Amino acid sequence: VKVEPLFPAMLRFVRFALLALPVASEVSLDSALKEDDCGDGECVLNAIQLKGLKKEQSVGEDLYEELQEGDESWLKDINSKTKNHFKHILAPLQKPIVTNYQYLAELEKFVNYTMMKIENATGRAVIWNRKSLLQEDEDEESDEVSDEELQSSYGRRRRSIKGEDLPPRARYINKILIYLNKEMEAVWNYNTIVDRKRWGVGNTITSSPYGPHGEHPKRWRANVTVPFPTHAPVSPVLNVNNSLTMHMKAEDRKYDNKYAMQLQADYQSLIDNINDASKKCNDLRKRLYKMDAYADKFIKLPSGVWNKIDAQS
């Protein structure tokens, strides 16, 4: 039967309690049980009690040894060698994360270039960061969370390892992973911003079926004045012949320690996240070039004539 490990302080308490139990030798027990002059039965009763105490002590010592062994194999902190190994494999991961961010910075320049062309043609700013009514309703509902939902969500989170529950060396590596994952959150947020701008350009094109100046071009008046961009941005990132997809592979090591196994899983997840972000950058670049082609087609259309372009397809 597997016994759940206890904390070291509890183990010391168990050990102290076990040592405090009375000890009965085999000789005294056997002699007491075999005495013939125990007519009143008191010595026999005492011998039986002593035998019960000795059995209880034996079981208690086995329990303590099992608890101590479980503590060493399950709740023990990662060793220094494992800690240094994780430091060694995590340190180089910041570079590809920053590279993904730099990819998006170049892609944003390109989508801004496309946006300027549309704003120059229509005389209106491209709306790309406005939430729909449905999204606003969802945000309001998310703010009103019931106590039961909070408890259920807390129950799900408590099964994961928290930083304050980790021993020192495992906590140190976990802090590095948390920092790198926060940087990845910034990458994904940036990706969302660039893709929203692309969506805003497409929405402007699709919602203007009569061309840049609308159905009645003679009544058209510009709301904003945006100069037409003189040249498109140039960068190796924008060259479609250069793949942006990364193919990083995690070092696969097997561990028996609970914390080392969890840290290895988090490390593997971070590697997959970095690779996925680079793939999304590569896909986003294709969509940006496609949207730029729609923008050029839209600008050349005559106003006042129905020529709807479905740029969101």
Side-chain angles (χ1 to χ4, degrees):
V1 179
K2 184 176 180 180
V3 181
E4 292 295 330
L6 300 176
F7 292 103
M10 182 61 72
L11 290 176
R12 289 194 296 269
F13 174 78
V14 173
R15 186 177 187 181
F16 176 79
L18 294 176
L19 293 177
L21 292 174
V23 180
S25 66
E26 291 291 339
V27 177
S28 60
L29 275 175
D30 292 340
S31 60
L33 289 173
K34 292 178 181 178
E35 282 289 344
D36 294 334
D37 56 351
C38 295
D40 56 358
E42 291 182 1
C43 59
V44 176
L45 178 61
N46 292 334
I48 294 175
Q49 290 174 341
L50 289 173
K51 186 175 182 180
L53 289 174
K54 185 176 186 299
K55 183 178 180 182
E56 182 180 353
Q57 181 186 28
S58 176
V59 173
E61 288 176 348
D62 293 340
L63 175 62
Y64 172 75
E65 291 176 359
E66 186 173 356
L67 291 175
Q68 192 176 39
E69 181 181 356
D71 178 69
E72 292 178 355
S73 62
W74 189 241
L75 286 180
K76 185 179 179 180
D77 194 1
I78 61 175
N79 56 42
S80 298
K81 183 179 179 180
T82 302
K83 173 188 173 182
N84 292 333
H85 172 70
F86 275 116
K87 286 176 60 178
H88 175 73
I89 61 177
L90 290 175
L93 296 187
Q94 189 172 28
K95 183 176 180 180
I97 294 174
V98 172
T99 300
N100 274 323
Y101 200 89
Q102 292 171 339
Y103 286 165
L104 292 165
E106 296 300 321
L107 295 178
E108 186 183 28
K109 293 178 183 177
F110 188 77
V111 74
N112 287 341
Y113 160 76
T114 305
M115 190 182 299
M116 288 181 66
K117 291 193 293 185
I118 294 297
E119 290 177 340
N120 172 269
T122 61
R124 290 173 174 78
V126 172
I127 306 301
W128 61 270
N129 58 349
R130 177 181 297 174
K131 293 183 179 181
S132 65
L133 294 177
L134 180 60
Q135 287 176 316
E136 291 177 355
D137 292 340
E138 290 177 352
D139 290 344
E140 292 178 359
E141 291 177 0
S142 64
D143 293 337
E144 299 175 358
V145 183
S146 64
D147 294 339
E148 183 177 352
E149 290 173 339
L150 282 173
Q151 292 175 0
S152 62
S153 62
Y154 176 76
R156 289 191 294 270
R157 288 196 302 269
R158 64 189 295 182
R159 285 194 290 270
S160 62
I161 298 179
K162 297 180 181 180
E164 59 268 21
D165 296 335
L166 295 173
R169 285 189 288 267
R171 189 187 312 126
Y172 177 85
I173 299 301
N174 189 58
K175 286 182 178 179
I176 299 177
L177 284 164
I178 290 174
Y179 176 79
L180 293 174
N181 278 300
K182 285 184 178 179
E183 289 191 334
M184 280 305 303
E185 287 180 11
V187 169
W188 286 113
N189 289 336
Y190 202 177
N191 186 293
T192 301
I193 290 173
V194 176
D195 195 45
R196 277 192 168 189
K197 289 184 175 182
R198 179 197 65 84
W199 179 89
V201 171
N203 185 60
T204 300
I205 294 173
T206 303
S207 60
S208 305
Y210 287 98
H213 295 174
E215 185 176 0
H216 306 285
K218 293 183 179 181
R219 303 178 187 174
W220 174 82
R221 296 292 184 274
N223 291 336
V224 295
T225 302
V226 179
F228 190 87
T230 56
H231 59 276
V234 179
S235 168
V237 175
L238 299 176
N239 187 346
V240 294
N241 294 322
N242 298 330
S243 175
L244 305 180
T245 304
M246 302 178 187
H247 301 281
M248 300 177 61
K249 292 185 179 179
E251 292 188 22
D252 188 13
R253 286 200 179 188
K254 304 299 182 183
Y255 297 99
D256 296 328
N257 180 272
K258 169 185 178 180
Y259 303 116
M261 289 188 291
Q262 182 61 51
L263 293 172
Q264 176 68 22
D266 293 342
Y267 158 68
Q268 177 68 60
S269 177
L270 178 60
I271 292 288
D272 294 340
N273 200 9
I274 294 173
N275 289 336
D276 188 42
S278 67
K279 183 179 181 299
K280 292 296 189 297
C281 287
N282 202 67
D283 296 340
L284 180 57
R285 182 179 61 182
K286 295 178 182 178
R287 295 197 298 271
L288 292 179
Y289 271 105
K290 185 178 180 180
M291 188 60 66
D292 189 65
Y294 281 133
D296 290 338
K297 182 180 179 180
F298 172 75
I299 292 170
K300 296 177 182 178
L301 291 176
S303 297
V305 181
W306 178 274
N307 288 299
K308 185 176 180 178
I309 300 175
D310 188 4
Q312 303 290 12
S313 60

